[in-house]
Amino acid sequence: MLPADQFTKYLAIENLPPEEAVHVLGDFLVFYLVRNPGAAFSLGEGVTWLFTLALAAVAVIIVVLAVTRIRSRLWAVALGLLLGGALGNLTDRVFRDPGFPIGHVVDFIHTPWMMPAIYNVADIFIVSMMIGVALLVLIGIGFDGSRETRVADETADAEAAEPEASEADAAEPALESESAASGDADAHVADAAGDGAGDDPAERD
């Protein structure tokens, strides 16, 4: 991610005229080379060092999480790409003119149909992976992939319960048959007892 971002910035600096629109696909994709001292939409140009600290803090937090808590592949991919994007812009803040820690970020991608901002490859991964992180949180997948494990356990429990339910369903007709047979036998015994009790004693004599 970091090499791809820096390589595309190198190509932009070497081949694009500064602050002059180059229409690649009409107004759908325009290359416009600028050096941005601020954040998105050129906000905060006077406090560039704050963005340097923020990017550094994000990078440190991601590394700590990756080492200590991340066990989910999805989280590893999302945070890894987010880290790459943050390091891409942090590299500009540290090494590009006018120097550390207020270096200007190289932006050159412009899509006026989508947003007025001019951005770079690192920005694309930062925004897309922030959306990815939000989706992982909404879905409920933990850093250790716990939701995936819980779903698998629930599926296994459901599969284990199905044979038991089938056996119980199969046993019900047998129980009903036994109950019916027992009821018929009791009825026969009662009829026989009734016939014996109704005989005339004189007839027996």
Side-chain angles (χ1 to χ4, degrees):
M1 177 60 237
L2 175 60
D5 173 67
Q6 291 300 310
F7 181 65
T8 56
K9 289 174 179 175
Y10 166 79
L11 293 177
I13 293 171
E14 292 295 320
N15 297 284
L16 296 177
E19 300 185 9
E20 183 177 329
V22 177
H23 294 266
V24 180
L25 296 174
D27 288 335
F28 184 82
L29 175 61
V30 181
F31 287 162
Y32 192 93
L33 179 60
V34 296
R35 295 177 183 268
N36 182 10
F41 307 104
S42 297
L43 298 175
E45 295 183 7
V47 289
T48 303
W49 60 274
L50 284 179
F51 302 114
T52 303
L53 292 179
L55 288 171
V58 168
V60 170
I61 291 171
I62 292 175
V63 171
V64 170
L65 287 175
V67 172
T68 60
R69 298 186 61 185
I70 301 299
R71 298 295 180 269
S72 167
R73 183 176 300 177
L74 290 175
W75 273 105
V77 170
L79 292 182
L81 294 176
L82 181 60
L83 175 63
L87 289 177
N89 286 340
L90 181 61
T91 300
D92 288 3
R93 298 292 186 193
V94 173
F95 295 107
R96 296 193 187 276
D97 292 336
F100 175 83
I102 55 174
H104 294 178
V105 173
V106 175
D107 292 331
F108 62 93
I109 303 173
H110 185 35
T111 48
W113 58 273
M114 183 171 63
M115 65 177 70
I118 302 172
Y119 51 95
N120 55 48
V121 173
D123 294 331
I124 294 173
F125 279 90
I126 289 173
V127 173
S128 59
M129 288 307 103
M130 287 178 67
I131 295 173
V133 167
L135 290 175
L136 290 175
V137 172
L138 289 175
I139 293 172
I141 297 178
F143 288 149
D144 59 352
S146 57
R147 183 179 184 276
E148 296 172 347
T149 303
R150 184 166 58 252
V151 170
D153 292 342
E154 290 175 355
T155 302
D157 292 341
E159 292 176 351
E162 286 179 358
E164 296 178 359
S166 300
E167 292 176 1
D169 292 340
E172 285 181 0
L175 292 174
E176 291 176 356
S177 300
E178 291 178 2
S179 298
S182 176
D184 291 342
D186 292 341
H188 288 310
V189 170
D191 291 341
D195 292 343
D199 288 342
D200 187 349
E203 291 178 359
R204 285 199 302 269
D205 294 338

